[in-house]
Every structure is written in structure tokens, then in C-alpha cells.
Amino acid sequence: MIVGVVSDTHGNREGMLLLAERLKSLGVQTLLHLGDDYQDLATLAGAGLEVFGVPGLYCPEYRHPQIDNRHVTKLGGVKFLLTHTQARSSYDSPGDLDPEMACYEVDAVLFGHTHTPALEERQGVAWINPGHLRERNDRGSPPTFALLHISASELRVQIHRLVDGQLLQEKTFRISPQR
């Protein structure tokens, strides 16, 4: 199973449509969106993808009680925490999960906010940031997205540059059977 991951789209419609085209050409049907801007989920869904996501800190939806700011989901037997930030925020609602505690219950934490791609392992848990999808380089990084290659025993993650699909980073994480 291959799943796309994106964060910090910030209304870049052209970038979102290019991303949808790239993902569909690879047979990817599901995209996880990690916030900023939450309304961009509709643009991506309108481009033919099944989209799940959480709002970013600066989205009005982050303060909406009916919308989860953090969400745990299981795909292909792998348990993921979707969050915009990798730590608690002053904008959090009282019932929001703490990513630094919830990480012990999942196989991977998917986060954004920094606009910088990252693939690292912390105490046996994959922490993955797909970067950003702004129309220009931001904070020293070009627009990027991630592909999750999911199997029961491992999670192979690739970070690709949006403009040409070039592979920039890759890492394989082992999946613990007890989660």
C-alpha cells in the first residue's frame, strides 16, 4: 500500500493539482494532509484523491470543537498519529492528544509546521515531516511531499521534490508487531 503525505499547502492550488497528478500516476489514492490550510483538503479531494487530515495551528478549524486537531488512524496495519505540530501548542484544546505522549501508542507520527522535511526515529517510533507545498522555497526547503510504502513489517518513507518528483530522502522504519 502506498499513501501520500503533505503539509503546509497554504492555498497553493497549482501545487496541489500537480501533487494530485503525480500521486495518481503512481497509483496512490489516499493522501494524508497535516494542516495549514485545512480548507485545501477540498481542493485535493476535488482532484480525485481520498483525503484525510487535521487542521494547522493558524486555521480557524483548529479551534472548532467538532474537528480533531490530532487524529490516530491505522492504514495497512500501521498506526499513525496525524498532527500539525510535533509538540503541544498554546492553541491546543484541553482534550487534544499530546504528540510526545501519544507517540508511544503508534508506529509513526506524521507532522508538519516547520516546512522542513524530516525522517527520524525516536525511541522506536518514526517521526515524519513531508515538508511544505508552498509555491517557492521556504525556510531553505523546496516544495516537497512524502510517499509511505506500508507493509506489516516495515514503513519505507520517501520525500520527493514536487517540481520534478526527484527523490530527496528515503528511510525505512521497522514496524513493531505489539502496537
Side-chain angles (χ1 to χ4, degrees), residues 1-6 19 22-23 26 28 31 110 117-120 126-131 143-150 155-162 165-173:
M1 168 183 239
I2 304 174
V3 174
V5 184
V6 68
L19 173 65
R22 287 204 187 289
L23 293 177
L26 296 169
V28 176
L31 177 66
L110 306 176
L119 301 175
E120 57 186 280
W127 288 74
I128 300 159
N129 185 329
T144 55
F145 64 95
L147 292 176
L148 307 177
H149 300 264
I150 303 169
L155 174 63
R156 184 168 52 99
V157 184
Q158 299 174 317
I159 304 287
H160 292 269
R161 189 167 52 195
L162 177 65
Q166 180 182 351
L167 178 64
L168 299 178
Q169 295 180 39
E170 183 172 30
K171 185 171 177 99
T172 299
F173 301 92

Side-chain angles (χ1 to χ4, degrees), residues 38 61-69 93:
Y38 191 71
E61 295 85 359
Y62 202 86
R63 290 159 199 66
H64 192 288
Q66 304 298 78
I67 298 174
D68 291 335
N69 292 330
S93 298

